[in-house]
Amino acid sequence: MSVLNNAADVLRCFGNDCPDLTVSDVVKLLGMPKANASRLLKAMREANMLETIGDSHRHRPGRLMLDLAAAYRRSSLLIGRASEVVAEASSTFGHTGYISVRDGKEVTAVADFQGTNALRVVSNIGRRLPAHLSATGRSLLARLGEETVHALYAGHSALHDLSEQLSKVRHQGFAYSSQEATPGVDAIAISVADPRTDEAVSLCIVYPHALVDTKGRDEMIAALAKGAARIAEDLGDSAFVAPRI
Amino acid sequence: MSVLNNAADVLRCFGNDCPDLTVSDVVKLLGMPKANASRLLKAMREANMLETIGDSHRHRPGRLMLDLAAAYRRSSLLIGRASEVVAEASSTFGHTGYISVRDGKEVTAVADFQGTNALRVVSNIGRRLPAHLSATGRSLLARLGEETVHALYAGHSALHDLSEQLSKVRHQGFAYSSQEATPGVDAIAISVADPRTDEAVSLCIVYPHALVDTKGRDEMIAALAKGAARIAEDLGDSAFVAPRI
DNA sequence: ACTTGAGTTCCATTTTATGGAACGACTCGG
DNA sequence: CCGAGTCGTTCCATAAAATGGAACTCAAGT
């Protein structure tokens, strides 16, 4: 089913900095004969996997794709439970929260809860980030064994640093970052898993560095920790480490 | 490219009340030989369009699909502008807001903004609703010509009622529903379009009926109307009707 | 009018999908 | 422990696709 793989490759092109695609974009990005690219996009259009923007030749994901992320969320008890916790914490503290999943060396947010404070971190749902460069990602990587992480990041220059960070996360029970991915933005993240389905998600709160002191941070960690601990207990996540602040 | 169509049909199965699919579900729903269903799901799995839940035979949309809704949002200036307006209104009034698009006779939310009030309407992003049964849908249908609506709803028993409702919407410049789709929930919706791309979106606020009187409702209409009017002006939406309260 | 670039269509060849049937894995009830 | 039922996968010859080079259209830009 090489068409399917080609179609998937096209969809993968809609990355962080590519809101739309033309036939020649696809030719360039995937190195495909343009006859194929043309027919492929046409077929994807007819299947509602893509749609053209206005009457231009630019394509974006089609209506069919709009509901799938929601279906993903609905398929997972774990995501639902985690969303309740983060929604509550986001509402209480006024900061933006996420639920994220890991996919190899990347993490993606699957749900977001906008903060209510005047100064808040803007949601970036649907953007893939390198797992090792964010608190969310590290909280998820920390769930993997030391060896698994080594295998995943074999040959990666950041492996040594990462290992140290992860053992700290494993010990603390939460991941923390201060102004790492974005200047002025701090994040806390706690992961929890559903052993029945092998899923792991990260509960994350992001907030402006200038607005929160250590005490405020610890209150948020405690709030997430409490919710995560209950989820871990209910679903039987024996690997869960209760955060120690 | 019939595989693509079959794959699209499978994805379409992830509707409102179907969080996951097995091979036999696909056989039943699509009337496909089970050999094909088995191979199709396998291929879709390998293309990351689907993934299995844990080690069961149940499938849900794959990681590849998670970012596409976000890519759709990013591809549209109109959605971005509309999101700003609704986020602001949602934050000001504390009620939940949406941005929705129409797809034939259905509407889907593409972005949502959770309310902050203790009693608020829970977001239902990614659920397809019949356009004629919601304020959001009617605000979008009202943009179509009378004839287009007739063609779209030809033979539909609700056509007569709908026509009346739509002419009211056209005249008022906004759509309103009280306890229509959900008991106790009211909604206001205003649509605006980008003539450059032929897109139309609906800006919508939903709120508990018991919490808002006519004055409060009119304030929200005014807030949405102001934002929508600015978008209409900036993008050149000449069909926009400024709401009269 | 000529060039350039993007997109589509054509056609013979190769590759892939199709679906009936056989097969393997698992569950339930006796 | 057996057999019926359900579910999913694999096999195979046939039928139906995708493939890619080249020709073609269309719309700028010079």
Side-chain angles (χ1 to χ4, degrees):
Chain A
M1 311 229 189
S2 111
V3 217
L4 266 190
N5 290 299
N6 288 334
D9 288 340
V10 169
L11 294 178
R12 253 182 283 274
C13 291
F14 291 107
N16 295 339
D17 40 328
C18 179
D20 52 60
L21 288 172
T22 62
V23 169
S24 21
D25 289 336
V26 172
V27 169
K28 270 176 230 147
L29 291 167
L30 303 180
M32 180 186 287
K34 65 177 178 174
N36 292 6
S38 175
R39 279 176 305 218
L40 179 59
L41 293 195
K42 185 181 176 192
M44 291 178 73
R45 237 156 37 212
E46 284 164 0
N48 283 303
M49 287 183 178
L50 295 181
E51 63 183 38
T52 54
I53 303 181
D55 49 5
S56 73
H57 285 141
R58 296 180 305 146
H59 294 73
R60 65 175 159 207
R63 301 293 159 93
L64 176 55
M65 306 329 222
L66 283 184
D67 309 331
L68 294 175
Y72 185 94
R73 280 194 288 276
R74 246 176 283 141
S75 78
S76 166
L77 174 63
L78 178 61
I79 292 176
R81 295 289 308 267
S83 294
E84 286 171 25
V85 171
V86 173
E88 161 98 30
S90 168
S91 179
T92 304
F93 298 103
H95 300 304
T96 297
Y98 299 107
I99 309 294
S100 303
V101 295
R102 184 183 62 88
D103 185 16
K105 286 187 273 195
E106 291 182 321
V107 284
T108 320
V110 295
D112 68 331
F113 303 90
Q114 287 245 18
T116 52
N117 293 335
L119 181 59
R120 65 190 179 223
V121 180
V122 70
S123 143
N124 66 344
I125 196 168
R127 282 201 146 81
R128 284 169 182 272
L129 298 172
H132 70 285
L133 293 180
S134 65
T136 283
R138 287 191 299 269
S139 76
L140 288 165
L141 289 174
R143 297 194 62 91
L144 303 173
E146 179 85 13
E147 333 73 50
T148 317
V149 174
H150 272 255
L152 195 59
Y153 283 89
H156 204 289
S157 63
L159 178 55
H160 186 70
D161 279 358
L162 181 60
S163 283
E164 277 183 20
Q165 289 179 297
L166 293 188
S167 54
K168 190 175 172 191
V169 172
R170 289 193 194 97
H171 181 255
Q172 286 181 148
F174 68 90
Y176 168 68
S177 72
S178 182
Q179 316 205 48
E180 183 181 24
T182 319
V185 172
D186 293 5
I188 54 180
I190 298 181
S191 67
V192 63
D194 183 345
R196 264 180 2 99
T197 61
D198 260 331
E199 299 173 282
V201 300
S202 174
L203 292 68
C204 177
I205 299 275
V206 291
Y207 53 89
H209 177 75
L211 247 59
V212 178
D213 58 13
T214 309
K215 181 161 163 290
R217 189 198 71 162
D218 290 348
E219 282 171 14
M220 290 193 283
I221 293 173
L224 285 191
K226 191 180 160 198
R230 167 160 297 162
I231 296 173
E233 194 189 331
D234 291 354
L235 302 185
D237 176 15
S238 55
F240 181 74
V241 177
R244 30 194 125 174
I245 302 165
Chain B
M1 312 228 190
S2 109
V3 217
L4 266 190
N5 290 298
N6 289 333
D9 288 340
V10 168
L11 294 178
R12 252 180 284 274
C13 291
F14 290 106
N16 295 338
D17 39 328
C18 179
D20 52 61
L21 288 172
T22 62
V23 169
S24 21
D25 289 337
V26 172
V27 169
K28 270 176 230 145
L29 290 167
L30 303 180
M32 178 186 289
K34 65 176 176 173
N36 291 6
S38 175
R39 278 177 306 220
L40 179 58
L41 292 194
K42 185 181 175 192
M44 290 177 75
R45 240 158 34 214
E46 284 164 0
N48 284 302
M49 287 184 177
L50 294 180
E51 64 183 36
T52 54
I53 303 182
D55 49 5
S56 73
H57 285 139
R58 295 180 306 146
H59 294 73
R60 65 175 161 206
R63 300 294 159 92
L64 176 55
M65 306 330 222
L66 283 184
D67 309 331
L68 294 175
Y72 185 95
R73 280 193 289 275
R74 244 176 285 140
S75 78
S76 166
L77 175 62
L78 178 60
I79 293 175
R81 295 290 307 266
S83 295
E84 285 171 25
V85 171
V86 173
E88 162 100 30
S90 167
S91 177
T92 304
F93 298 102
H95 300 304
T96 297
Y98 300 107
I99 308 294
S100 304
V101 295
R102 184 181 62 89
D103 185 16
K105 286 188 272 195
E106 290 182 322
V107 284
T108 320
V110 295
D112 68 332
F113 303 90
Q114 287 244 19
T116 52
N117 294 334
L119 181 59
R120 64 188 177 224
V121 180
V122 69
S123 142
N124 66 344
I125 195 169
R127 282 201 146 81
R128 281 168 186 274
L129 298 172
H132 70 286
L133 293 179
S134 66
T136 283
R138 288 191 298 269
S139 76
L140 288 164
L141 288 174
R143 297 194 63 91
L144 303 174
E146 178 85 12
E147 333 73 49
T148 318
V149 174
H150 272 255
L152 194 59
Y153 284 89
H156 204 289
S157 63
L159 178 55
H160 186 69
D161 280 359
L162 180 60
S163 281
E164 277 183 19
Q165 288 179 299
L166 293 188
S167 54
K168 190 175 173 192
V169 172
R170 288 193 195 95
H171 181 256
Q172 285 182 147
F174 66 90
Y176 168 67
S177 73
S178 184
Q179 316 205 48
E180 183 180 25
T182 319
V185 172
D186 293 5
I188 53 181
I190 298 180
S191 67
V192 62
D194 182 345
R196 264 182 1 102
T197 62
D198 258 330
E199 299 172 282
V201 299
S202 173
L203 291 67
C204 177
I205 299 274
V206 291
Y207 54 89
H209 178 76
L211 246 60
V212 177
D213 58 12
T214 308
K215 182 162 163 288
R217 189 199 71 161
D218 291 348
E219 282 171 15
M220 290 193 283
I221 293 173
L224 285 190
K226 191 179 160 197
R230 169 159 298 165
I231 296 174
E233 194 189 331
D234 290 354
L235 302 186
D237 176 14
S238 55
F240 180 75
V241 177
R244 30 196 125 175
I245 302 167

PDB file of all heavy atoms in Angstrom, chain B residues 202-228:
ATOM      1  N   SER B 202     -17.729  30.482  12.160  1.00  0.00           N
ATOM      2  CA  SER B 202     -18.722  31.014  13.081  1.00  0.00           C
ATOM      3  C   SER B 202     -18.063  31.264  14.431  1.00  0.00           C
ATOM      4  O   SER B 202     -17.343  30.415  14.951  1.00  0.00           O
ATOM      5  CB  SER B 202     -19.859  30.006  13.233  1.00  0.00           C
ATOM      6  OG  SER B 202     -20.751  30.429  14.240  1.00  0.00           O
ATOM      7  N   LEU B 203     -18.288  32.441  14.949  1.00  0.00           N
ATOM      8  CA  LEU B 203     -17.817  32.773  16.297  1.00  0.00           C
ATOM      9  C   LEU B 203     -18.991  32.525  17.239  1.00  0.00           C
ATOM     10  O   LEU B 203     -20.078  33.072  17.020  1.00  0.00           O
ATOM     11  CB  LEU B 203     -17.398  34.240  16.391  1.00  0.00           C
ATOM     12  CG  LEU B 203     -16.141  34.687  15.642  1.00  0.00           C
ATOM     13  CD1 LEU B 203     -16.309  34.606  14.143  1.00  0.00           C
ATOM     14  CD2 LEU B 203     -15.753  36.102  16.048  1.00  0.00           C
ATOM     15  N   CYS B 204     -18.766  31.732  18.229  1.00  0.00           N
ATOM     16  CA  CYS B 204     -19.889  31.277  19.033  1.00  0.00           C
ATOM     17  C   CYS B 204     -19.575  31.308  20.526  1.00  0.00           C
ATOM     18  O   CYS B 204     -18.456  31.003  20.942  1.00  0.00           O
ATOM     19  CB  CYS B 204     -20.225  29.849  18.601  1.00  0.00           C
ATOM     20  SG  CYS B 204     -21.531  29.078  19.553  1.00  0.00           S
ATOM     21  N   ILE B 205     -20.563  31.732  21.302  1.00  0.00           N
ATOM     22  CA  ILE B 205     -20.448  31.654  22.759  1.00  0.00           C
ATOM     23  C   ILE B 205     -21.616  30.809  23.268  1.00  0.00           C
ATOM     24  O   ILE B 205     -22.762  31.042  22.868  1.00  0.00           O
ATOM     25  CB  ILE B 205     -20.527  33.066  23.407  1.00  0.00           C
ATOM     26  CG1 ILE B 205     -19.400  33.958  22.925  1.00  0.00           C
ATOM     27  CG2 ILE B 205     -20.555  32.962  24.927  1.00  0.00           C
ATOM     28  CD1 ILE B 205     -18.123  33.841  23.695  1.00  0.00           C
ATOM     29  N   VAL B 206     -21.330  29.847  24.104  1.00  0.00           N
ATOM     30  CA  VAL B 206     -22.385  29.036  24.714  1.00  0.00           C
ATOM     31  C   VAL B 206     -22.376  29.273  26.219  1.00  0.00           C
ATOM     32  O   VAL B 206     -21.316  29.428  26.827  1.00  0.00           O
ATOM     33  CB  VAL B 206     -22.208  27.534  24.420  1.00  0.00           C
ATOM     34  CG1 VAL B 206     -22.447  27.243  22.960  1.00  0.00           C
ATOM     35  CG2 VAL B 206     -20.827  27.047  24.822  1.00  0.00           C
ATOM     36  N   TYR B 207     -23.565  29.309  26.809  1.00  0.00           N
ATOM     37  CA  TYR B 207     -23.622  29.655  28.229  1.00  0.00           C
ATOM     38  C   TYR B 207     -24.865  29.049  28.872  1.00  0.00           C
ATOM     39  O   TYR B 207     -25.851  28.761  28.199  1.00  0.00           O
ATOM     40  CB  TYR B 207     -23.636  31.177  28.381  1.00  0.00           C
ATOM     41  CG  TYR B 207     -24.719  31.870  27.597  1.00  0.00           C
ATOM     42  CD1 TYR B 207     -25.975  32.088  28.149  1.00  0.00           C
ATOM     43  CD2 TYR B 207     -24.486  32.287  26.289  1.00  0.00           C
ATOM     44  CE1 TYR B 207     -26.983  32.718  27.426  1.00  0.00           C
ATOM     45  CE2 TYR B 207     -25.478  32.909  25.564  1.00  0.00           C
ATOM     46  CZ  TYR B 207     -26.720  33.119  26.128  1.00  0.00           C
ATOM     47  OH  TYR B 207     -27.708  33.731  25.398  1.00  0.00           O
ATOM     48  N   PRO B 208     -24.809  28.879  30.173  1.00  0.00           N
ATOM     49  CA  PRO B 208     -25.969  28.320  30.879  1.00  0.00           C
ATOM     50  C   PRO B 208     -27.135  29.309  30.825  1.00  0.00           C
ATOM     51  O   PRO B 208     -26.972  30.482  31.177  1.00  0.00           O
ATOM     52  CB  PRO B 208     -25.472  28.144  32.318  1.00  0.00           C
ATOM     53  CG  PRO B 208     -23.983  28.198  32.222  1.00  0.00           C
ATOM     54  CD  PRO B 208     -23.670  29.103  31.088  1.00  0.00           C
ATOM     55  N   HIS B 209     -28.272  28.824  30.398  1.00  0.00           N
ATOM     56  CA  HIS B 209     -29.467  29.666  30.250  1.00  0.00           C
ATOM     57  C   HIS B 209     -29.776  30.433  31.535  1.00  0.00           C
ATOM     58  O   HIS B 209     -30.114  31.618  31.496  1.00  0.00           O
ATOM     59  CB  HIS B 209     -30.661  28.774  29.893  1.00  0.00           C
ATOM     60  CG  HIS B 209     -31.953  29.511  29.768  1.00  0.00           C
ATOM     61  ND1 HIS B 209     -32.259  30.284  28.671  1.00  0.00           N
ATOM     62  CD2 HIS B 209     -33.011  29.609  30.618  1.00  0.00           C
ATOM     63  CE1 HIS B 209     -33.461  30.812  28.835  1.00  0.00           C
ATOM     64  NE2 HIS B 209     -33.945  30.424  30.007  1.00  0.00           N
ATOM     65  N   ALA B 210     -29.634  29.754  32.657  1.00  0.00           N
ATOM     66  CA  ALA B 210     -30.061  30.337  33.935  1.00  0.00           C
ATOM     67  C   ALA B 210     -29.177  31.496  34.381  1.00  0.00           C
ATOM     68  O   ALA B 210     -29.559  32.291  35.241  1.00  0.00           O
ATOM     69  CB  ALA B 210     -30.065  29.257  35.018  1.00  0.00           C
ATOM     70  N   LEU B 211     -27.996  31.588  33.788  1.00  0.00           N
ATOM     71  CA  LEU B 211     -27.022  32.555  34.296  1.00  0.00           C
ATOM     72  C   LEU B 211     -27.066  33.908  33.596  1.00  0.00           C
ATOM     73  O   LEU B 211     -26.471  34.876  34.069  1.00  0.00           O
ATOM     74  CB  LEU B 211     -25.611  31.982  34.123  1.00  0.00           C
ATOM     75  CG  LEU B 211     -24.835  31.660  35.402  1.00  0.00           C
ATOM     76  CD1 LEU B 211     -25.611  30.640  36.203  1.00  0.00           C
ATOM     77  CD2 LEU B 211     -23.459  31.125  35.051  1.00  0.00           C
ATOM     78  N   VAL B 212     -27.742  33.956  32.453  1.00  0.00           N
ATOM     79  CA  VAL B 212     -27.605  35.147  31.625  1.00  0.00           C
ATOM     80  C   VAL B 212     -28.980  35.711  31.258  1.00  0.00           C
ATOM     81  O   VAL B 212     -29.836  34.979  30.749  1.00  0.00           O
ATOM     82  CB  VAL B 212     -26.824  34.808  30.335  1.00  0.00           C
ATOM     83  CG1 VAL B 212     -26.728  36.010  29.432  1.00  0.00           C
ATOM     84  CG2 VAL B 212     -25.428  34.299  30.693  1.00  0.00           C
ATOM     85  N   ASP B 213     -29.188  36.986  31.524  1.00  0.00           N
ATOM     86  CA  ASP B 213     -30.448  37.614  31.121  1.00  0.00           C
ATOM     87  C   ASP B 213     -30.275  38.279  29.749  1.00  0.00           C
ATOM     88  O   ASP B 213     -29.207  38.206  29.145  1.00  0.00           O
ATOM     89  CB  ASP B 213     -30.904  38.630  32.175  1.00  0.00           C
ATOM     90  CG  ASP B 213     -29.854  39.702  32.417  1.00  0.00           C
ATOM     91  OD1 ASP B 213     -28.899  39.789  31.614  1.00  0.00           O
ATOM     92  OD2 ASP B 213     -29.960  40.440  33.411  1.00  0.00           O
ATOM     93  N   THR B 214     -31.336  38.918  29.293  1.00  0.00           N
ATOM     94  CA  THR B 214     -31.287  39.498  27.951  1.00  0.00           C
ATOM     95  C   THR B 214     -30.182  40.535  27.820  1.00  0.00           C
ATOM     96  O   THR B 214     -29.486  40.603  26.804  1.00  0.00           O
ATOM     97  CB  THR B 214     -32.639  40.165  27.621  1.00  0.00           C
ATOM     98  OG1 THR B 214     -33.666  39.209  27.871  1.00  0.00           O
ATOM     99  CG2 THR B 214     -32.689  40.591  26.170  1.00  0.00           C
ATOM    100  N   LYS B 215     -30.014  41.306  28.874  1.00  0.00           N
ATOM    101  CA  LYS B 215     -28.980  42.333  28.833  1.00  0.00           C
ATOM    102  C   LYS B 215     -27.587  41.703  28.696  1.00  0.00           C
ATOM    103  O   LYS B 215     -26.775  42.119  27.856  1.00  0.00           O
ATOM    104  CB  LYS B 215     -29.055  43.168  30.119  1.00  0.00           C
ATOM    105  CG  LYS B 215     -28.066  44.300  30.196  1.00  0.00           C
ATOM    106  CD  LYS B 215     -28.479  45.321  31.253  1.00  0.00           C
ATOM    107  CE  LYS B 215     -27.329  46.221  31.647  1.00  0.00           C
ATOM    108  NZ  LYS B 215     -26.295  45.542  32.457  1.00  0.00           N
ATOM    109  N   GLY B 216     -27.355  40.680  29.486  1.00  0.00           N
ATOM    110  CA  GLY B 216     -26.068  39.992  29.421  1.00  0.00           C
ATOM    111  C   GLY B 216     -25.839  39.388  28.046  1.00  0.00           C
ATOM    112  O   GLY B 216     -24.742  39.464  27.478  1.00  0.00           O
ATOM    113  N   ARG B 217     -26.918  38.823  27.508  1.00  0.00           N
ATOM    114  CA  ARG B 217     -26.818  38.234  26.185  1.00  0.00           C
ATOM    115  C   ARG B 217     -26.447  39.297  25.154  1.00  0.00           C
ATOM    116  O   ARG B 217     -25.553  39.096  24.319  1.00  0.00           O
ATOM    117  CB  ARG B 217     -28.163  37.604  25.810  1.00  0.00           C
ATOM    118  CG  ARG B 217     -28.116  36.773  24.556  1.00  0.00           C
ATOM    119  CD  ARG B 217     -29.491  36.572  23.998  1.00  0.00           C
ATOM    120  NE  ARG B 217     -30.013  37.803  23.424  1.00  0.00           N
ATOM    121  CZ  ARG B 217     -31.021  37.841  22.555  1.00  0.00           C
ATOM    122  NH1 ARG B 217     -31.616  36.730  22.200  1.00  0.00           N
ATOM    123  NH2 ARG B 217     -31.442  38.988  22.069  1.00  0.00           N
ATOM    124  N   ASP B 218     -27.110  40.428  25.248  1.00  0.00           N
ATOM    125  CA  ASP B 218     -26.854  41.480  24.266  1.00  0.00           C
ATOM    126  C   ASP B 218     -25.432  42.032  24.369  1.00  0.00           C
ATOM    127  O   ASP B 218     -24.834  42.419  23.359  1.00  0.00           O
ATOM    128  CB  ASP B 218     -27.885  42.603  24.420  1.00  0.00           C
ATOM    129  CG  ASP B 218     -29.275  42.155  23.987  1.00  0.00           C
ATOM    130  OD1 ASP B 218     -29.368  41.073  23.368  1.00  0.00           O
ATOM    131  OD2 ASP B 218     -30.248  42.866  24.274  1.00  0.00           O
ATOM    132  N   GLU B 219     -24.898  42.033  25.578  1.00  0.00           N
ATOM    133  CA  GLU B 219     -23.505  42.463  25.728  1.00  0.00           C
ATOM    134  C   GLU B 219     -22.559  41.510  24.996  1.00  0.00           C
ATOM    135  O   GLU B 219     -21.591  41.927  24.359  1.00  0.00           O
ATOM    136  CB  GLU B 219     -23.120  42.527  27.207  1.00  0.00           C
ATOM    137  CG  GLU B 219     -23.641  43.765  27.915  1.00  0.00           C
ATOM    138  CD  GLU B 219     -23.435  43.677  29.429  1.00  0.00           C
ATOM    139  OE1 GLU B 219     -22.648  42.806  29.877  1.00  0.00           O
ATOM    140  OE2 GLU B 219     -24.068  44.467  30.154  1.00  0.00           O
ATOM    141  N   MET B 220     -22.867  40.216  25.128  1.00  0.00           N
ATOM    142  CA  MET B 220     -22.005  39.234  24.455  1.00  0.00           C
ATOM    143  C   MET B 220     -22.142  39.335  22.944  1.00  0.00           C
ATOM    144  O   MET B 220     -21.150  39.258  22.212  1.00  0.00           O
ATOM    145  CB  MET B 220     -22.339  37.837  24.947  1.00  0.00           C
ATOM    146  CG  MET B 220     -21.905  37.620  26.394  1.00  0.00           C
ATOM    147  SD  MET B 220     -21.937  35.910  26.890  1.00  0.00           S
ATOM    148  CE  MET B 220     -23.675  35.672  27.132  1.00  0.00           C
ATOM    149  N   ILE B 221     -23.375  39.520  22.491  1.00  0.00           N
ATOM    150  CA  ILE B 221     -23.574  39.692  21.049  1.00  0.00           C
ATOM    151  C   ILE B 221     -22.774  40.899  20.561  1.00  0.00           C
ATOM    152  O   ILE B 221     -22.087  40.836  19.540  1.00  0.00           O
ATOM    153  CB  ILE B 221     -25.072  39.867  20.714  1.00  0.00           C
ATOM    154  CG1 ILE B 221     -25.816  38.567  21.015  1.00  0.00           C
ATOM    155  CG2 ILE B 221     -25.256  40.250  19.249  1.00  0.00           C
ATOM    156  CD1 ILE B 221     -27.323  38.669  20.886  1.00  0.00           C
ATOM    157  N   ALA B 222     -22.843  41.965  21.350  1.00  0.00           N
ATOM    158  CA  ALA B 222     -22.128  43.181  20.944  1.00  0.00           C
ATOM    159  C   ALA B 222     -20.621  42.927  20.884  1.00  0.00           C
ATOM    160  O   ALA B 222     -19.941  43.402  19.960  1.00  0.00           O
ATOM    161  CB  ALA B 222     -22.442  44.314  21.910  1.00  0.00           C
ATOM    162  N   ALA B 223     -20.114  42.188  21.857  1.00  0.00           N
ATOM    163  CA  ALA B 223     -18.669  41.920  21.875  1.00  0.00           C
ATOM    164  C   ALA B 223     -18.253  41.098  20.657  1.00  0.00           C
ATOM    165  O   ALA B 223     -17.274  41.423  19.979  1.00  0.00           O
ATOM    166  CB  ALA B 223     -18.289  41.192  23.161  1.00  0.00           C
ATOM    167  N   LEU B 224     -19.010  40.034  20.390  1.00  0.00           N
ATOM    168  CA  LEU B 224     -18.693  39.217  19.212  1.00  0.00           C
ATOM    169  C   LEU B 224     -18.863  40.037  17.937  1.00  0.00           C
ATOM    170  O   LEU B 224     -18.043  39.952  17.018  1.00  0.00           O
ATOM    171  CB  LEU B 224     -19.608  37.988  19.139  1.00  0.00           C
ATOM    172  CG  LEU B 224     -19.342  36.822  20.089  1.00  0.00           C
ATOM    173  CD1 LEU B 224     -20.182  35.627  19.684  1.00  0.00           C
ATOM    174  CD2 LEU B 224     -17.867  36.443  20.093  1.00  0.00           C
ATOM    175  N   ALA B 225     -19.929  40.823  17.908  1.00  0.00           N
ATOM    176  CA  ALA B 225     -20.223  41.597  16.703  1.00  0.00           C
ATOM    177  C   ALA B 225     -19.096  42.579  16.397  1.00  0.00           C
ATOM    178  O   ALA B 225     -18.688  42.740  15.252  1.00  0.00           O
ATOM    179  CB  ALA B 225     -21.543  42.346  16.869  1.00  0.00           C
ATOM    180  N   LYS B 226     -18.602  43.208  17.443  1.00  0.00           N
ATOM    181  CA  LYS B 226     -17.530  44.174  17.251  1.00  0.00           C
ATOM    182  C   LYS B 226     -16.289  43.502  16.650  1.00  0.00           C
ATOM    183  O   LYS B 226     -15.713  43.983  15.676  1.00  0.00           O
ATOM    184  CB  LYS B 226     -17.178  44.817  18.598  1.00  0.00           C
ATOM    185  CG  LYS B 226     -16.268  46.015  18.488  1.00  0.00           C
ATOM    186  CD  LYS B 226     -15.998  46.580  19.883  1.00  0.00           C
ATOM    187  CE  LYS B 226     -14.739  47.441  19.866  1.00  0.00           C
ATOM    188  NZ  LYS B 226     -14.217  47.660  21.223  1.00  0.00           N
ATOM    189  N   GLY B 227     -15.932  42.367  17.235  1.00  0.00           N
ATOM    190  CA  GLY B 227     -14.770  41.633  16.731  1.00  0.00           C
ATOM    191  C   GLY B 227     -14.999  41.139  15.312  1.00  0.00           C
ATOM    192  O   GLY B 227     -14.121  41.245  14.449  1.00  0.00           O
ATOM    193  N   ALA B 228     -16.173  40.594  15.073  1.00  0.00           N
ATOM    194  CA  ALA B 228     -16.476  40.054  13.745  1.00  0.00           C
ATOM    195  C   ALA B 228     -16.480  41.169  12.699  1.00  0.00           C
ATOM    196  O   ALA B 228     -15.996  40.984  11.584  1.00  0.00           O
ATOM    197  CB  ALA B 228     -17.815  39.331  13.765  1.00  0.00           C
TER     198      ALA B 228
END
